[in-house]
């Protein structure tokens, strides 16, 4: 079936961008929620951009930018994840990060306690304070209304459209990770990471076939791959992955040392090599048929 452009979710300037499928719509779609670098007007950190960019999944969207040419839509957040993290639950806030208190029960995770919950309060890798003072409740709620809800709504619409066309949808949620953990990671500093970690929240967000296919392809290309180890999958795949309904969401974490200098945050010669491998992975997943 050829894609009808009128059905395509639209981009929202400053918030999110949808690079829609060209031609035949694949059952696969992708999102890069943490590669945004456009600072909103109300983002007034106490550190420089060069400091807070260490929280970004820099260039992940560019690694997958060829996907639309083979029918795979790509959703990208434009705002920084350190401003608002759409891969956190709405109650994943440290109460101390809200100046005037929250008006509902909160359930801060270990990540929030480390300064990287729904709104980040610290800057990696050394946990420097992000702001001079806690944010107000209204400021946080504005971010949720302007960024969080639209992002998840557009992602859900893309999944729904793929499901309507094919009877199932495959969603790849794309992230990057430091090659070695630092003090703001739950496992503590100094833990080396593999080339890739695939996560499906212990088998609850996608078919095992999707996991096995991605793992097999990457390993056949010489990469070291782990499944559900340091990362289990967070809020995005939890919300959108419902394999019993034919909606399969898989999180992928890519080792930054494979494509960028983690100190300067600039691309290395490995970028084009990795991008070629990932193009092959995307193409392979477009051919995958998954039963409910």
């Amino acid at each position: 079936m050829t894609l009808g452009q009128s059905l395509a979710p639209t981009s929202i300037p400053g918030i999110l961008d949808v690079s829609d499928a060209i031609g035949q719509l694949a059952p696969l779609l992708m999102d890069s929620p943490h590669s945004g670098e456009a600072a909103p007007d109300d983002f007034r950190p106490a550190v420089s951009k060069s400091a807070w960019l260490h929280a970004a999944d820099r260039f992940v969207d560019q690694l997958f930018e060829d996907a639309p040419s083979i029918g795979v839509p790509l959703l990208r957040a434009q705002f920084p994840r350190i401003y608002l993290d759409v891969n956190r639950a709405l109650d994943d806030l440290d109460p101390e990060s809200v100046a005037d208190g929250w008006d509902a029960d909160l359930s801060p995770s270990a990540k929030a306690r480390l300064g990287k919950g729904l709104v980040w309060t610290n800057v990696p890798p050394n946990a420097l304070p992000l702001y001079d003072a806690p944010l107000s409740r209204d400021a946080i709620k504005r971010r949720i209304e302007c960024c969080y809800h639209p992002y998840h709504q557009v992602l859900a619409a893309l999944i729904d459209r793929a499901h309507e066309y094919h009877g199932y949808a495959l969603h790849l949620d794309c992230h990057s990770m430091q090659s070695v953990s630092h003090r703001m990671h739950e496992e503590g500093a100094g833990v080396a990471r593999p080339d890739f970690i695939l996560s499906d929240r212990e088998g609850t967000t996608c078919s095992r076939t999707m996991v096995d296919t991605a793992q097999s392809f990457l390993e056949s290309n010489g990469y070291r791959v782990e499944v559900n180890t340091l990362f289990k999958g967070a809020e995005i795949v939890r919300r959108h992955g419902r394999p019993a309904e034919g909606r399969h969401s898989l999180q992928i974490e890519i080792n930054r040392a494979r494509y960028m200098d983690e100190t300067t945050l600039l691309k290395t010669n490995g970028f084009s090599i990795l991008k070629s491998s990932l193009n092959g992975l995307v193409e392979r997943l477009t051919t995958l048929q998954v039963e409910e």
Side-chain angles (χ1 to χ4, degrees):
M1 184 180 294
T2 301
L3 175 65
Q5 293 298 324
S6 62
L7 299 176
T10 57
S11 301
I12 305 173
I15 305 299
L16 57 86
D17 173 72
V18 179
S19 295
D20 207 9
I22 298 171
Q24 185 81 7
L25 180 67
L28 178 67
L29 60 116
M30 310 172 68
D31 81 308
S32 180
H34 291 161
S35 53
E37 299 183 10
D41 291 340
D42 66 341
F43 184 42
R44 301 182 181 91
V47 298
S48 66
K49 182 174 182 177
S50 62
W52 61 254
L53 271 179
H54 282 272
D57 287 350
R58 201 165 205 210
F59 308 128
V60 166
D61 56 339
Q62 295 179 31
L63 285 169
F64 293 102
E65 65 186 354
D66 295 337
S69 67
I70 59 169
V72 179
L74 174 61
L75 167 63
R76 297 173 280 202
Q78 295 181 352
F79 54 90
R81 62 96 64 95
I82 205 167
Y83 172 80
L84 185 81
D85 198 331
V86 295
N87 204 26
R88 303 286 184 263
L90 286 170
D91 60 359
D92 194 6
L93 274 170
D94 186 337
E96 294 183 4
S97 69
V98 188
D100 46 353
W102 203 245
D103 55 0
D105 291 337
L106 294 176
S107 182
S109 66
K111 287 182 171 63
R113 297 296 188 187
L114 287 166
K116 51 180 187 175
L118 179 67
V119 290
W120 287 44
T121 57
N122 296 93
V123 182
N126 297 317
L128 295 173
L130 178 59
Y131 301 108
D132 290 326
L135 299 173
S136 70
R137 179 196 316 143
D138 286 346
I140 295 172
K141 288 193 171 185
R142 281 195 297 272
R143 297 183 186 192
I144 292 171
E145 290 304 316
C146 290
C147 299
Y148 192 98
H149 291 320
Y151 189 89
H152 282 282
Q153 288 164 1
V154 169
L155 179 54
L158 288 168
I159 293 171
D160 286 347
R161 185 181 60 171
H163 189 275
E164 179 180 352
Y165 273 62
H166 295 280
Y168 64 98
L170 306 175
H171 163 225
L172 192 63
D173 179 39
C174 305
H175 301 264
S176 68
M177 59 184 172
Q178 290 85 356
S179 59
V180 179
S181 65
H182 54 64
R183 61 182 290 189
M184 285 181 64
H185 289 122
E186 294 93 315
E187 67 269 28
V191 179
R193 274 83 177 272
D195 297 315
F196 292 91
I197 297 178
L198 304 174
S199 307
D200 63 355
R201 295 182 67 89
E202 303 289 2
T204 62
T205 67
C206 75
S207 163
R208 185 68 202 189
T209 301
M210 186 177 182
V211 180
D212 290 344
T213 299
Q215 182 177 10
S216 177
F217 180 90
L218 292 169
E219 289 179 343
S220 71
N221 279 266
Y223 296 107
R224 188 162 75 89
V225 183
E226 295 180 3
V227 177
N228 291 319
T229 52
L230 298 173
F231 300 94
K232 305 290 187 182
E235 181 66 8
I236 289 176
V237 297
R238 188 200 69 80
R239 275 184 171 235
H240 299 282
R242 299 190 296 276
E245 300 175 18
R247 291 168 166 82
H248 303 270
S249 291
L250 175 64
Q251 179 178 298
I252 183 170
E253 294 276 355
I254 306 167
N255 191 315
R256 293 178 186 174
R258 276 287 183 175
Y259 68 92
M260 65 182 283
D261 184 307
E262 294 180 87
T263 300
T264 65
L265 303 182
L266 299 176
K267 296 175 187 174
T268 62
N269 292 335
F271 181 88
S272 59
I273 298 170
L274 178 62
K275 185 176 182 179
S276 178
S277 296
L278 292 173
N279 282 345
L281 172 64
V282 173
E283 187 171 0
R284 174 67 185 91
L285 289 176
T286 62
T287 68
L288 185 65
Q289 296 186 3
V290 179
E291 295 181 358
E292 294 188 13

